[in-house]
Amino acid sequence: MAVSQVYLRYAMGIKMNKKWWHNTIGYQIYPKSFQDSNGDGIGDIKGIIQHLDYFKELGINVIWICPVYKSPMVDHGYDISDYEQIDPSFGSNEDLDELILEADKRGIKILMDLVVNHTSDQHEWFQKAMEDLHSKYADYYIIKEGSKGEPPNNWRSIFGGSAWERIGNTNKYYLHIFTKEQPDLNWENKELRELLYDMVNRWLEKGLGGFRIDAISHIKKDFNYKNLPADGKDGLASGWDHFSNVEGIEIFLKELKEKTFNVYECFTIGEVNDVKPEELKRYLGEDGYFSSIFDFCHTNHRVRDKKWVNNPIEMVNELRSLLFSKQEYANGYGLLCNIIENHDLPRAIDRFIPEKYINYYSKTMLGAINFFLKGIPFIYQGQEIGMRDYPKKKIEEFKDPTTYNNYYEHVSRGDLEENVMGKINIETREHSRTPMQWTDNKNAGFSEGIPWFEVNPNFKEINVRKQYNDSKSLLAFYKKMIAVRKRKDLEETFINGETVPKYMESSGVIAYERVRDNQRILVINNCNNASITLELQEDIKDVLLNNYDQIMLDQSDIKIMPFQVVVMEMQ
Ligand code: NOJ
């Protein structure tokens, strides 16, 4: 168990106690695609262990691993059939113990994924519930009567189609806000909640650093099951407001925290979408439900969407406002986890940089775009080497239910096949799930067998080995960024310093100062493919990071080159 020492910080009158995870650099692993150690084509825990030294050298100190529990893999692990067992395709429970131990030796903590909004339909509880709808297990799930052969209401599942599945020939339906193989748990049932807490504590006992907590804003449902006005041709309606952050969720979230996370002082990151900025304080920090939550403010922005294609700079300006607004509201309460990629999103380079501008400068600048903001930067596997989307020709080449659902949705709207594939290739989250590109050897060094998902053919060009000893590589730049964030003399400012937006009048520039006592760190990201000149208000004390070889100064003016990022300590 990590021990926290206490030090004081006053921002907006609020004291923040120092925690072991405050100056952390996180890394997310999608285990299926990270490293296969036994040639079955599927990444595994032993494969992760093989790369622990890589993380140590990068300067990573927390690793979040997507679910590795026993699962039929309908949603690639987010459908858990046994919370106590590691899925054999990933290894064994002993492998996980070894991973925790070996990571610990290198100063790295492991976060597991906690998926407690739903189980798999193969989970013993659900199987027993289906065998006997009067058993106690039936109340572990959300089962309701339909009416006149129709489901209890017309909510649409987040993954498409009705959110209700009929149970055999009965008039009863169970709720699943994701796939039908992921029945939602009934958090109103106290016995079930206690079982979940015990399970969480058993994992924490093993010495985990904590959890990333999946879909947690959905555990409370609005039990008014009336039909909503249809918002699509399917006659269904998005039930989002009726199963996201619904009033009363705070009771469950507080209880979860008190009975589990608090006992271990672990690091918890909630996957919480759609929290209004003014509500952030309920969700993160010392008094929040979680240590932190991910900032998803950019996830719907795609430079290839019609809306932005001709005005990418407008997109940057919008993003800038969103980022700064989140910073402002979180300030004084806690640290957000800052990401540009995860396993549910296409690759960041393809989302944010117009194709014709993709180069070393734009890629490094993108990496830095939110890295120095207040919060904890998380890197998604392959982001550090600039892994790219892998568009497919045919829908059959994809593997994920959401891709298929989106495809059929477009088709049912009457879109032409070639247009549909175009849209899918922009939207699909599977781009981030191609195997990690380690080398230019067979299968990019990911597996000796046949990879479960095709390796991106660009692996000969983009791989870790190629960038490892190249001081002008993206990987080398990530190492530098991490080293700057961890510099002892800057650490306090990166953790606690306020974020003060700068040069807001300059379009396409994301600039801010991190300020604490007498220290000021100025970060300027120029997202324009043109140079800009800005007036500095103080002298430069030290250039901490620069993706160009030089800084162009003319008295108090600084010329920032196309896609340049500079981080400077100011006098
Ligand atoms: C969010 C996860 O990130 C995603 O991959 C998963 O499909 C859903 N939750 C359902 O668990």
Side-chain angles (χ1 to χ4, degrees), residues 62 64 111-112 210-214 216 261 267-272 290-295 335-337 376 378:
V62 162
W64 151 34
L111 307 186
M112 283 181 91
F211 289 102
R212 174 269 188 180
I213 305 149
D214 185 69
I216 196 69
F261 310 147
F267 175 32
T268 57
I269 316 169
E271 189 211 16
V272 187
F290 310 106
S291 321
S292 179
I293 63 173
F294 285 109
D295 181 3
L335 303 176
L336 292 163
C337 281
I376 296 164
F378 256 80

Side-chain angles (χ1 to χ4, degrees), residues 28 30 64 66-67 75-79 113-118 158-159 177-179 182 212-216 218 271 273 296 342-344 400-402 429 433:
Q28 181 195 349
Y30 194 70
W64 151 34
C66 286
D75 189 12
H76 305 281
Y78 283 96
D79 46 323
D113 215 307
L114 182 62
V115 189
V116 285
N117 173 69
H118 47 269
I158 296 174
F159 284 176
I177 65 167
F178 296 99
T179 69
Q182 292 166 296
R212 174 269 188 180
I213 305 149
D214 185 69
I216 196 69
H218 305 305
E271 189 211 16
N273 287 299
F296 292 120
N342 72 19
H343 66 294
D344 289 331
D400 182 48
T402 63
R429 62 181 186 173
R433 300 178 178 190

Side-chain angles (χ1 to χ4, degrees), residues 472-486:
K472 282 299 266 178
S473 67
L474 185 61
L475 182 59
F477 191 79
Y478 268 88
K479 267 196 219 166
K480 283 185 205 152
M481 289 203 296
I482 296 170
V484 169
R485 274 220 53 142
K486 294 193 144 181

Side-chain angles (χ1 to χ4, degrees), residues 292-308:
S292 179
I293 63 173
F294 285 109
D295 181 3
F296 292 120
C297 70
H298 51 75
T299 46
N300 294 327
H301 290 66
R302 289 181 173 90
V303 90
R304 287 183 290 173
D305 274 355
K306 258 202 200 121
K307 189 175 169 197
W308 304 118

